[in-house]
Amino acid sequence: MTPSEPGLLSRVAGAVTGKVVDAMPVEEILEHVDIDAVLDQIDVNHLLERVDVNRLLDRVDVDRLLARADVEALVQRAGIPDLVAETTGNLAGRTLDVARSQVAGLDTIVTGIVDRVLRRRGPAPLGPVLLVAAPAERG
């Protein structure tokens, strides 16, 4: 028997399916359905285009989500302690370099003032005589 119109079989199947779904529990029907085959036929990209992400995010309880997060593990994984230690070390090193430079400049100024007050002339010694004297001069 051939259907007289092209959509007749589809209409009959649709009507019968509706009656079966109304008559049987959905769980029993799904036991006979190959879910993987159904999922293979779904266009996931088309489905995702229909999802309103902002509306979905509005439903998320961020406080509850964060309460479940292991923040300490996230901090360790991101390497934040290492970054802080490295940054602090670099900052301390640069600060010491600047301080040493300032002290060396101040030392030069103070030495110049002391030399003028004591009326010293000529170049200042490089250091204590026993340390800077040539080996032949020491003895």
Side-chain angles (χ1 to χ4, degrees):
M1 177 172 168
T2 325
S4 57
E5 352 183 333
L8 178 63
L9 186 59
S10 296
R11 286 197 308 269
V12 169
V16 170
T17 304
K19 299 292 183 198
V20 171
V21 170
D22 289 341
M24 294 181 65
V26 174
E27 294 81 18
E28 279 187 47
I29 297 169
L30 289 177
E31 286 178 11
H32 300 287
V33 174
D34 183 1
I35 299 294
D36 289 328
V38 172
L39 290 175
D40 287 341
Q41 294 180 17
I42 294 175
D43 182 1
V44 177
N45 290 325
H46 180 71
L47 182 65
L48 288 176
E49 287 174 5
R50 296 181 63 188
V51 174
D52 184 357
V53 176
N54 290 325
R55 187 170 174 206
L56 180 67
L57 289 175
D58 287 342
R59 297 179 67 184
V60 173
D61 184 356
V62 176
D63 292 330
R64 186 171 167 216
L65 183 65
L66 289 175
R68 294 174 58 190
D70 185 357
V71 177
E72 182 64 31
L74 290 173
V75 167
Q76 292 296 329
R77 198 181 202 180
I80 293 174
D82 297 333
L83 181 63
V84 169
E86 181 181 333
T87 303
T88 304
N90 289 341
L91 182 61
R94 280 186 264 157
T95 303
L96 284 174
D97 288 345
V98 169
R100 287 182 190 126
S101 173
Q102 295 295 324
V103 168
L106 183 61
D107 184 50
T108 303
I109 292 170
V110 170
T111 300
I113 292 171
V114 169
D115 286 346
R116 283 186 193 157
V117 169
L118 297 176
R119 298 180 186 195
R120 294 181 185 155
R121 299 195 188 265
L126 296 175
V129 176
L130 293 177
L131 289 178
V132 295
E137 296 175 18
R138 278 191 242 159

